[in-house]
Amino acid sequence: MQALLEAAKSAGVVIRTGVSIARFQQTVQGVTLFATVEGTVEQPYGDYGALILADGTRSHLRAQMRVRQWVRPYPWGALWSIVPTPADADSTDLRQWYRGCSQMFGIMPTGRTHEAPEQRVSSLFWSLPTAGYAAWCEAGLGAWKNSVTQLAGPQADAFLAHVHSPAQLTLATYADVRMQQWHDCRVLAIGDCAHAMSPQLGQGANMALVDAAALAAALRRGTSGDLPADWPAVFASYAKTRRQHLRYYRQASRLLTPLFQSNSAALAVLRDSALFLARHLPMGRNHAVTTLVGGRTGWLFGRTPDTSLHVWRHDSSLRPPDQPAASVAD
Ligand SMILES: Cc1cc2nc3c(=O)[nH]c(=O)nc-3n(C[C@H](O)[C@H](O)[C@H](O)COP(=O)(O)OP(=O)(O)OC[C@H]3O[C@@H](n4cnc5c(N)ncnc54)[C@H](O)[C@@H]3O)c2cc1C
């Protein structure tokens, strides 16, 4: 983060935080921003050549683009908490435990915080239908901890010991965002604002970073010398390079999400059979790994150009084949 801030500073990029942009106005010459001051009053916040919207799934600026768009909230979400990693934790891997498709508990190593850099932390997550949140609160923390221990066994106890109140668990909800196209003249949507998906494939941040890299490449291609960029052309060129990659991940995410979050018993059997094949057949394994490193652009042969390098890096850190990366209960 520090390196990024320093690079931005030396390139003359001005970063302003803590500003809430309420709306924008687009003309042929440029884009004017309006910021909300003290929660209510709107004030002009500068004129720019272009606007890149990276304001996440619940962007309210996206609706001002003259582009058809669909936002579909998922019926399932997840409770999240970040807790200190116990000193004797026996694994540094992401671990998830499932019962059918309706129960899932996960522990994800999450690095360290700025406040206490010597302490490792882990994210705990528990799958929950969003409509069931009130009932979960009513049932109380003890009932939840029992369910987790029944699913994941005593190895979860040292993590659960850090959760003392339901307020330590935040309900994360997600939505599927689809746009007919991501650009509208001088305005472009990227990241979750443009194509949020359920986090089951763990690709949202990956896709947002690839968007940023692809946009930088499109800008390099579309500018010459000191001439101002032709933003609508740069954005159109960017969109062309992102279409196939994002289409594959959107389809995969929509197909796979019910296998991990739903009430279907049949889908649980299908998921476990598919994962078995993915682990034991070289082709299945390769497909799974290239998908999980964000390197696929299609179901059969499509790959991003540098996938072989990603696969090698990812594969070398996998467990031996006889040890599952995730435990499946029942
Ligand atoms: C429960 C859950 C688990 C996830 N797990 C994973 C995972 O394991 N791996 C993975 O790759 N991805 C995961 N994701 C997805 C990942 O978090 C997102 O894809 C990623 O954060 C998208 O980045 P972004 O920059 O597009 O949007 P965001 O990270 O949402 O950032 C948007 C920013 O815009 C700001 N903003 C919003 N509106 C305005 C405004 N009007 N004015 C000014 N600023 C504004 C917000 O404050 C925020 O800082 C998960 C998501 C969820 C919900």
Side-chain angles (χ1 to χ4, degrees):
M1 187 64 186
Q2 199 53 39
L4 181 64
L5 287 176
E6 275 160 24
K9 204 168 154 192
S10 62
V13 175
V14 178
I15 297 177
R16 295 184 201 144
T17 57
V19 180
S20 179
I21 302 299
R23 65 184 176 91
F24 65 85
Q25 218 167 46
Q26 181 172 197
T27 63
V28 180
Q29 287 81 32
V31 183
T32 305
L33 297 185
F34 296 85
T36 310
V37 181
E38 287 165 7
T40 47
V41 188
E42 261 180 45
Q43 275 181 11
Y45 197 72
D47 299 314
Y48 300 91
L51 171 63
I52 297 157
L53 292 181
D55 53 345
T57 309
R58 284 166 195 81
S59 163
H60 60 259
L61 299 172
R62 178 181 54 225
Q64 293 168 39
M65 292 173 70
R66 295 159 299 182
V67 168
R68 285 188 73 196
Q69 42 194 274
W70 298 263
V71 180
R72 193 177 61 115
Y74 279 105
W76 289 72
L79 291 163
W80 282 79
S81 189
I82 297 183
V83 298
T85 304
D88 58 349
D90 60 352
S91 170
T92 52
D93 295 336
L94 162 67
R95 285 175 294 168
Q96 286 172 248
W97 292 263
Y98 287 89
R99 182 169 288 117
C101 303
S102 62
Q103 266 198 346
M104 182 272 286
F105 175 68
I107 301 176
M108 180 165 70
T110 306
R112 296 165 196 274
T113 62
H114 291 297
E115 292 81 29
E118 71 292 343
Q119 173 65 62
R120 285 182 301 144
V121 293
S122 297
S123 299
L124 310 184
F125 44 100
W126 174 256
S127 182
L128 190 76
T130 52
Y133 182 57
W136 178 85
C137 292
E138 212 167 286
L141 209 55
W144 174 67
K145 287 189 179 184
N146 279 341
S147 305
V148 173
T149 308
Q150 275 173 25
L151 181 64
Q155 52 193 313
D157 289 352
F159 292 89
L160 294 179
H162 292 284
V163 184
H164 309 292
S165 134
Q168 281 175 262
L169 290 144
T170 305
L171 179 65
T173 58
Y174 19 94
D176 214 10
V177 172
R178 207 153 62 80
M179 300 181 75
Q180 191 176 30
Q181 60 179 44
W182 300 302
H183 60 292
D184 168 18
C185 295
R186 289 172 176 271
V187 181
L188 173 75
I190 64 169
D192 274 11
C193 171
H195 45 67
M197 47 189 92
S198 115
Q200 296 306 331
L201 273 178
Q203 293 301 312
N206 240 357
M207 294 298 120
L209 290 169
V210 178
D211 286 356
L215 179 56
L219 190 54
R220 273 195 299 274
R221 282 195 306 275
T223 41
S224 61
D226 289 337
L227 289 177
D230 177 351
W231 288 105
V234 168
F235 291 163
S237 151
Y238 156 86
K240 214 168 153 191
T241 60
R242 293 299 291 129
R243 201 158 294 137
Q244 258 190 322
H245 190 217
L246 283 165
R247 185 191 297 133
Y248 171 75
Y249 280 94
R250 195 181 61 239
Q251 288 174 352
S253 167
R254 293 187 79 167
L255 197 75
L256 294 179
T257 294
L259 305 186
F260 294 93
Q261 288 193 303
S262 69
N263 286 314
S264 167
L267 288 181
V269 175
L270 182 68
R271 176 198 63 208
D272 293 348
S273 313
L275 286 178
F276 180 85
L277 292 177
R279 265 183 62 212
H280 293 285
L281 294 181
M283 209 179 121
R285 186 177 172 78
N286 193 276
H287 198 289
V289 172
T290 48
T291 296
L292 289 175
V293 297
R296 289 205 78 85
T297 54
W299 290 95
L300 285 178
F301 306 110
R303 299 272 188 87
T304 52
D306 49 356
T307 308
S308 54
L309 180 64
H310 292 165
V311 170
W312 179 82
R313 281 194 188 137
H314 186 86
D315 235 357
S316 62
S317 65
L318 284 178
R319 290 155 178 254
D322 56 330
Q323 275 183 278
S327 310
V328 177
D330 284 2

